[in-house]
Amino acid sequence: MHFKRKDLLGIQELRAEEIEFILDTSASFKEINHRSIKKVPTLRGKTVIHVFYEPSTRTRMSFDIAAKRLSADTYSITTSASSMVKGETFLDTIKNLEAMKPDVFVIRHSASGAPHRIASRTSAAVINAGDGMHEHPSQALLDMLTIRDHKGHLDGLTVAILGDIAHSRVARSNIWGLTKMGARVIGCGPPTLIPAELETMGVSVSHRVDEVIPKADVLMVLRLQHERMSQGLLPSLREYAKWFGLNDRRMRKAKKDVLIMHPGPINRGVELSPEVADGPYSVILDQVTNGVAVRMAILYLLGQVERQEPAMSVTEARLSV
Ligand code: CP
């Protein structure tokens, strides 16, 4: 099949065969990351700009490594080191970067929908590297690749997503992706951290982690997102760890071949005990390794698409996101 999208903004809009195709393409890129010379000329002459207006370790580094391994030229801009501190709007910033003729923008922003607004105004490909509480498509793709690597398939599996689903773009992207690929998804957490729309997305809901653990082929544990929480959603971190944290005692009830996943960064001792995070069921670092291959595949596939002329006018560029 041919991948014809200009941008990668979310998993919600992808068809199952497109997801499968990106996963297959990612699998084919893995081998490059194990060579002694980890570089191919695929994107030579292309320019990738990383626009990260929220902190990131894994996503930013792996997009940068992926682009460099494909021989693209990469540049980064962050809020604190840009003219946004002088009052320039996000759209003005992008318009000015676009005038330097990049081929790809990789955008992380705290506002849901920010990459979508940019995508409709630029001829460059836009990759959503996490927008607010909305979507984190490359994370879901690397998660699905990791599950497929270990289980051989996604259809028919039971994936339990545990914890702070309300604030999680990772959860939303995974729910769209996993359900399209035929997996059963259970959402489990305290009622204050489970969004009302979850059941309409095809997810079963439970508030009892000890009842969910024995059913799961995959336990996808989420980070408690303090930075996006209003006050009063949890009594305390200690209470949360007691009722929802995964530890050795709880894991005795799990299937023998269960996978423990976490998108990172981990709050050790809160959502995962150190023994579980680093234990035999954990595939957390496999997720990180797959992140490079998945992001190489995304950059490669978007890099093949023919570009139209820029659509953003100077007037539009003055609008703020
Ligand atoms: N999983 C993830 O998005 O991690 P970073 O915030 O470190 O990029």
Side-chain angles (χ1 to χ4, degrees):
M1 93 170 250
H2 292 289
F3 191 83
K4 293 197 178 115
R5 292 180 184 271
K6 170 185 164 288
D7 312 293
L8 181 67
L9 299 174
I11 301 292
Q12 186 177 6
E13 55 260 35
L14 295 185
R15 300 188 308 278
E17 60 264 32
E18 290 178 289
I19 296 172
E20 186 106 44
F21 185 64
I22 298 171
L23 298 184
D24 291 345
T25 309
S26 306
S28 72
F29 273 111
K30 279 184 186 197
E31 174 267 327
I32 296 167
N33 297 317
H34 296 283
R35 294 183 190 170
S36 58
I37 310 279
K38 301 175 181 63
K39 208 169 183 83
V40 292
T42 315
L43 295 185
R44 191 163 53 202
K46 301 279 185 186
T47 302
V48 177
I49 301 188
H50 305 295
V51 184
F52 275 66
Y53 285 175
E54 273 194 339
S56 170
T57 297
R58 283 148 286 268
T59 311
R60 184 169 159 177
M61 284 306 298
S62 57
F63 264 118
D64 200 37
I65 290 170
K68 287 188 164 90
R69 287 188 181 165
L70 294 174
S71 299
D73 298 311
T74 72
Y75 305 89
S76 281
I77 186 164
T78 56
T79 324
S80 60
S82 77
S83 287
M84 280 188 81
V85 293
K86 302 177 203 163
E88 189 169 47
T89 67
F90 182 51
L91 273 174
D92 269 337
T93 304
I94 296 290
K95 177 67 183 169
N96 279 271
L97 294 175
E98 165 143 315
M100 302 173 201
K101 308 295 176 199
D103 298 286
V104 182
F105 285 115
V106 180
I107 298 179
R108 172 169 287 192
H109 201 284
S110 58
S112 297
H116 306 66
R117 292 200 64 189
I118 300 305
S120 63
R121 291 166 168 83
T122 176
S123 63
V126 174
I127 300 171
N128 179 1
D131 63 323
M133 298 189 284
H134 179 224
E135 281 233 35
H136 192 346
S138 62
Q139 178 71 43
L141 289 164
L142 73 88
D143 290 341
M144 287 188 276
L145 182 63
T146 306
I147 297 172
R148 207 179 73 164
D149 284 351
H150 285 271
K151 298 289 188 188
H153 59 99
L154 294 165
D155 58 300
L157 294 177
T158 298
V159 179
I161 303 184
L162 306 180
D164 185 1
I165 297 174
H167 298 98
S168 177
R169 54 198 177 204
V170 173
R172 278 180 189 75
S173 288
N174 266 297
I175 290 166
W176 292 122
L178 288 164
T179 52
K180 281 173 207 243
M181 300 307 284
R184 174 182 175 228
V185 180
I186 305 174
C188 179
T192 48
L193 297 180
I194 300 285
E197 77 269 18
L198 213 56
E199 279 167 324
T200 65
M201 296 172 77
V203 176
S204 339
V205 172
S206 169
H207 303 300
R208 295 176 185 276
V209 72
D210 292 306
E211 289 177 10
V212 166
I213 287 172
K215 299 177 187 163
D217 299 298
V218 178
L219 292 164
M220 187 177 285
V221 185
L222 301 174
R223 179 174 73 87
L224 277 183
Q225 301 200 29
H226 309 286
E227 73 276 20
R228 294 188 218 280
M229 278 188 200
S230 51
Q231 294 296 309
L233 293 179
L234 292 172
S236 69
L237 292 183
R238 237 177 96 204
E239 284 285 295
Y240 181 85
K242 180 176 168 195
W243 293 106
F244 292 97
L246 289 194
N247 51 37
D248 272 345
R249 179 183 58 76
R250 286 216 153 97
M251 287 307 296
R252 284 189 213 124
K253 297 179 191 158
K255 292 186 182 180
K256 294 295 161 230
D257 59 350
V258 73
L259 305 179
I260 300 283
M261 304 179 74
H262 193 297
I266 300 169
N267 293 308
R268 281 178 181 260
V270 181
E271 60 256 4
L272 285 178
S273 70
E275 312 84 67
V276 175
D278 305 325
Y281 306 115
S282 173
V283 294
I284 293 169
L285 293 178
D286 294 351
Q287 292 173 259
V288 179
T289 302
N290 276 341
V292 177
V294 162
R295 285 157 181 145
M296 287 170 86
I298 294 167
L299 289 164
Y300 163 73
L301 291 171
L302 296 182
Q304 308 307 303
V305 178
E306 286 299 315
R307 308 265 158 240
Q308 304 295 318
E309 280 304 297
M312 183 161 37
S313 70
V314 173
T315 314
E316 282 177 310
R318 292 207 180 97
L319 299 171
S320 59
V321 167

